[in-house]
């Protein structure tokens, strides 16, 4: 059993005090069970997350994956670990969603934007959408990873691993590239889920019939606009090799935790494991964590006749971006709140109504926070509150339990000590930026025109007098003027419509 940290030292990183970090339980896809987390170094964690392919704006399904990783990192830091978080930026061509046979996303992006299909064109496209991605991270209060290496800056390391695999006999050549021979690696598919769906999904050109086994995957695709590769033909690295080479370079091998969405388990992550283990004779990562999907049935989905909601994806045409969310007057942190309401290992079926309900809950929380910030004069933090949040988070990142506990405690505090300080403490993990956003909301309230505020006051009076007909009429008047009124435990909250 790991030693508990004294309450005083609890929120300072353990590596400063050389004391034990708190115990965290997490679900490891590799062992298919919840287990106690034991990093290689007792006070620091190496965390690698498959990052975005920067050929277009991310959709909110992708953002679910990045909010999960952010919560994981925050929880590790909160529990006392120093975290080195690496997220790769895929800014060079790879084929289709997961497999080798589909369309190259970067080339697709270049054509869409009328840019030259050259390495320079890819660089420009990549820079543009990396910027857009960083904006998304900022909007969602996602901590920027320690380093975000670009694939295009790490081709040498990828080539070195391919050469090594070739020397060891794992590689064969076809007319279009170099392939990894899975039959030479008996442990292939350790993570499970090795159906070929991932490879078929999104495929737009014929399957390479020269592959020896259907699960073989490309390490290098020949292409005249790509990189020189001494001893081989010019081309592009395969997608899986990117993560194998970069995670080893920045974190060593094995490192502690590797994350991605569940769509990556079958092909991408099994591919990474095969290459890295075959190349260096050591496991790639000790713990593999995967977030479930955001699924959605868009009204005009390109997926056509199917009535089933599907994984949100660009290729299925059922995607929503953060800009769409903002255009509907929804705050990006309401989206974060929405994601946190579900456990990361449960699928979420997206609906605008549910997102709007999450926005209402988020604003109610901010308004309550605002009230606490002006009324709560207690010095002593409500330890019991913090402990309960900590327990929920350290139990495989149970954010829905943590959020529900926040509400229970705010409505019915178990102790008279400071709730304000406890909520702010909990927010170190939840990342809802409560203190700053509560102040923003208070400022926004001051900018509501006097006429609307007067109407709201009159409506309150009518409600006090139980004159609900009059209260409803005033609400309609406020709404007609372009404002929405929310009744909260801390009084009415008025918001200008988008
Ligand atoms: P990509 O840019 O497609 O490689 O995706 C970036 C991250 O988002 C990966 O970890 C994916 O597994 C994850 N992801 C993609 N689509 C979804 C979705 N609909 N729901 C949740 N995560 C997703
Ligand atoms: Zn990856």
């Amino acid at each position: 059993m790991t030693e508990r940290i004294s309450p005083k030292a609890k929120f300072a990183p353990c590596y400063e005090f050389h004391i034990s970090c708190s115990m965290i339980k997490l679900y490891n896809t590799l062992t298919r069970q919840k287990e106690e987390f034991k990093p290689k170094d007792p006070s620091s964690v190496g965390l690698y997350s498959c990052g975005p392919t920067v050929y277009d704006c991310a959709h909110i399904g992708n953002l679910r994956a990045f909010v999960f990783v952010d919560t994981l990192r925050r929880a590790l830091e909160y529990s006392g670990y120093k975290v080195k978080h690496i997220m790769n930026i895929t800014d060079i061509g790879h084929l289709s969603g997961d497999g080798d046979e589909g369309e190259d996303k970067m080339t697709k992006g270049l054509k869409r934007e009328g840019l030259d299909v050259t390495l320079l064109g890819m660089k420009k496209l990549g820079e543009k959408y990396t910027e857009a991605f960083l904006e998304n991270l900022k909007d969602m209060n996602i901590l920027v990873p320690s380093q975000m290496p670009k694939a295009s800056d790490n081709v040498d390391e990828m080539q070195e691993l391919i050469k090594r695999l070739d020397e060891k006999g794992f590689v064969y050549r076809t007319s279009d590239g170099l392939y990894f021979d899975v039959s030479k690696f008996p442990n292939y598919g350790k993570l499970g889920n090795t159906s070929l769906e991932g490879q078929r999904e999104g495929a737009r050109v014929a399957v390479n019939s020269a592959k020896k086994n259907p699960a073989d995957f490309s390490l290098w695709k020949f292409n005249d606009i790509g990189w020189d590769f001494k001893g081989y033909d010019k081309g592009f690295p395969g997608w899986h090799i990117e993560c194998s080479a970069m995670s080893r370079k920045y974190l060593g091998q094995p490192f502690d935790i590797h994350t991605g969405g569940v769509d990556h388990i079958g092909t991408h992550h099994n591919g990474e494991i095969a290459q890295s283990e075959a190349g260096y004779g050591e496991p790639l990562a000790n713990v593999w964590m995967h977030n479930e999907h955001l699924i959605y049935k868009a009204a005009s989905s390109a997926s056509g006749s199917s009535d089933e909601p599907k994984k949100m994806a660009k290729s299925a045409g059922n995607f929503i971006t953060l800009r769409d969310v903002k255009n509907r007057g929804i705050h990006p942190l309401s989206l974060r709140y929405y994601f946190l309401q579900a456990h990361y290992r449960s699928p979420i079926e997206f609906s605008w109504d549910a997102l709007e309900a999450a926005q209402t809950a988020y604003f109610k929380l901010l308004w309550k926070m605002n009230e606490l910030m002006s009324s709560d004069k207690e010095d002593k933090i409500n330890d019991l509150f913090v402990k309960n949040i900590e327990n929920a988070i350290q139990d495989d990142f149970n954010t829905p339990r943590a959020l529900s506990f926040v509400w229970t405690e705010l409505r019915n505090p178990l102790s008279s000590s400071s709730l304000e300080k406890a909520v702010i403490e909990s927010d170190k993990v939840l990342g809802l930026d409560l203190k700053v956003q509560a102040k923003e909301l208070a400022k926004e309230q001051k900018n509501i025109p006097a006429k609307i505020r007067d109407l709201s006051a009159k409506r309150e009076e009518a409600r006090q007098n139980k004159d609900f007909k009059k209260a409803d009429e005033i609400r309609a008047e406020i709404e007609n003027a372009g404002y929405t009124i929310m009744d909260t435990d801390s009084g009415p909250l008025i918001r200008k419509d988008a």
Side-chain angles (χ1 to χ4, degrees):
M1 237 334 237
T2 337
E3 182 193 326
R4 304 298 300 180
I5 305 172
S6 77
K8 197 156 179 255
K10 187 159 48 182
F11 307 118
C14 67
Y15 52 89
E16 278 176 15
F17 292 92
H18 305 288
I19 53 175
S20 305
C21 299
S22 305
M23 200 258 274
I24 289 190
K25 276 194 183 159
L26 43 74
Y27 184 86
N28 186 353
T29 311
L30 193 62
T31 56
R32 293 159 182 75
Q33 62 185 9
K34 236 198 255 185
E35 55 192 40
E36 189 180 328
F37 176 54
K38 290 195 182 114
K40 268 177 19 179
D41 171 340
S43 63
S44 65
V45 178
L47 171 65
Y48 183 88
S49 307
C50 293
T53 305
V54 282
Y55 75 114
D56 202 345
C57 291
H59 57 68
I60 61 171
N62 301 134
L63 295 180
R64 179 180 191 197
F66 300 121
V67 165
F68 159 61
V69 171
D70 185 57
T71 315
L72 167 65
R73 170 180 167 179
R74 285 170 182 271
L76 290 166
E77 287 179 344
Y78 184 87
S79 303
Y81 296 102
K82 184 177 184 180
V83 179
K84 182 170 179 189
H85 183 204
I86 304 297
M87 183 185 285
N88 66 310
I89 297 281
T90 299
D91 63 344
I92 48 184
H94 77 76
L95 299 174
S96 84
D98 269 352
D100 295 320
E101 289 86 17
E103 188 178 19
D104 167 37
K105 288 184 180 175
M106 289 303 283
T107 307
K108 187 177 167 191
L110 289 172
K111 288 183 188 157
R112 187 191 61 232
E113 311 241 329
L115 288 167
D116 291 342
V117 184
T118 58
L119 287 184
L120 188 65
M122 273 186 197
K123 188 171 154 57
K124 280 193 196 152
L125 185 77
E127 281 167 0
K128 174 175 171 184
Y129 287 107
T130 302
E131 275 306 303
F133 180 65
L134 288 171
E135 272 297 305
N136 284 174
L137 296 191
K138 196 165 161 216
D139 280 348
M140 302 284 294
N141 201 27
I142 294 173
L143 301 171
V144 176
S146 321
Q147 277 167 287
M148 299 178 82
K150 293 179 191 167
S152 60
D153 289 336
N154 290 278
V155 176
D156 286 352
E157 286 76 2
M158 299 174 210
Q159 292 184 342
E160 189 191 310
L161 176 51
I162 297 170
K163 253 196 266 169
R164 201 180 167 93
L165 289 169
D166 197 8
E167 279 157 19
K168 291 184 159 204
F170 289 99
V171 180
Y172 64 93
R173 185 187 168 110
T174 71
S175 58
D176 72 349
L178 304 174
Y179 283 82
F180 184 95
D181 185 346
V182 296
S183 67
K184 300 263 170 67
F185 185 74
N187 278 337
Y188 180 76
K190 259 190 199 178
L191 283 178
N193 217 7
T194 47
S195 89
L196 291 179
E197 269 327 292
Q199 279 136 307
R200 290 197 197 103
E201 191 183 309
R204 290 180 191 84
V205 297
V207 172
N208 180 357
S209 56
K211 279 209 274 191
K212 290 189 191 167
N213 316 288
D216 291 352
F217 52 86
S218 87
L219 297 163
W220 188 258
K221 278 264 165 152
F222 302 138
N223 191 314
D224 284 344
I225 65 159
W227 271 263
D228 287 325
F229 188 0
K230 201 158 172 255
Y232 303 88
D233 290 343
K234 216 172 175 174
F236 286 104
W239 176 34
H240 319 320
I241 201 82
E242 186 185 319
C243 290
S244 282
M246 286 158 85
S247 57
R248 180 181 169 91
K249 175 174 171 182
Y250 291 91
L251 293 173
Q253 187 179 331
F255 57 90
D256 296 304
I257 307 179
H258 193 313
T259 71
V262 288
D263 49 319
H264 285 353
I265 299 175
T267 307
H268 183 48
H269 288 169
N270 276 320
E272 283 184 35
I273 290 175
Q275 298 161 152
S276 297
E277 288 194 8
Y280 299 105
E282 286 173 304
L284 176 59
N286 293 328
V287 177
W288 289 79
M289 297 185 72
H290 295 96
N291 64 278
E292 259 296 349
H293 285 148
L294 184 69
I295 53 178
Y296 185 40
K297 180 177 171 290
S300 59
S301 168
S303 46
S305 55
S306 164
D307 281 326
E308 288 300 308
K310 284 187 170 178
K311 171 195 162 196
M312 184 174 284
K314 287 263 156 80
S315 56
N318 62 343
F319 67 93
I320 292 164
T321 64
L322 194 55
R323 181 175 300 165
D324 300 327
V325 168
K326 290 205 261 184
N327 285 345
R328 283 182 79 132
I330 294 174
H331 196 291
L333 291 175
S334 301
L335 179 64
R336 184 174 178 117
Y337 186 100
Y338 174 67
F339 291 150
L340 296 182
Q341 283 176 318
H343 191 266
Y344 77 92
R345 285 193 288 119
S346 305
I348 302 178
E349 187 177 337
F350 179 81
S351 82
W352 286 107
D353 285 350
L355 180 55
E356 269 152 24
Q359 161 125 311
T360 303
Y362 178 58
F363 279 121
K364 285 185 174 177
L365 184 56
L366 293 181
W367 206 219
K368 179 74 190 172
M369 199 52 210
N370 196 56
E371 183 196 317
L372 289 176
M373 276 156 47
S374 49
S375 64
D376 187 341
K377 304 289 178 234
E378 282 294 326
D379 279 338
K380 196 180 161 332
I381 193 162
N382 185 330
D383 272 338
L384 202 57
F385 182 117
V386 176
K387 186 99 209 103
N388 277 304
I389 303 289
E390 193 183 300
N391 286 343
I393 293 296
Q394 290 173 346
D395 181 10
D396 197 27
F397 315 99
N398 197 329
T399 55
R401 200 163 95 207
L403 273 185
S404 117
F405 188 79
V406 167
W407 278 112
T408 311
E409 190 65 4
L410 286 178
R411 293 200 169 117
N412 219 344
L414 289 172
S415 134
S416 61
S417 43
S418 176
L419 274 180
E420 180 207 344
K421 291 190 177 64
V423 178
I424 290 172
E425 198 55 49
S426 316
D427 198 32
K428 286 183 182 165
V429 179
L430 299 173
L432 291 166
D433 201 22
L434 294 174
K435 198 171 170 182
V436 172
Q437 298 303 328
K439 282 188 189 150
E440 282 297 312
L441 192 61
K443 235 193 276 169
E444 196 185 290
Q445 292 303 290
K446 290 203 180 107
N447 292 334
I448 301 286
K451 183 176 169 254
I452 304 293
R453 278 195 276 151
D454 285 351
L455 281 172
S456 169
K458 281 191 187 126
R459 177 173 170 269
E460 273 311 286
E461 202 182 304
R463 274 157 49 92
Q464 299 289 323
N465 297 334
K466 304 216 175 328
D467 186 350
F468 296 114
K469 186 168 170 285
K470 188 169 173 194
D472 284 349
E473 282 165 9
I474 301 175
R475 177 198 274 273
E477 203 179 335
I478 292 172
E479 285 175 356
N480 286 338
Y483 293 83
T484 302
I485 194 153
M486 257 179 225
D487 294 316
T488 82
D489 295 349
S490 324
L493 174 62
I494 311 166
R495 300 216 63 231
K496 191 167 179 6
D497 295 341

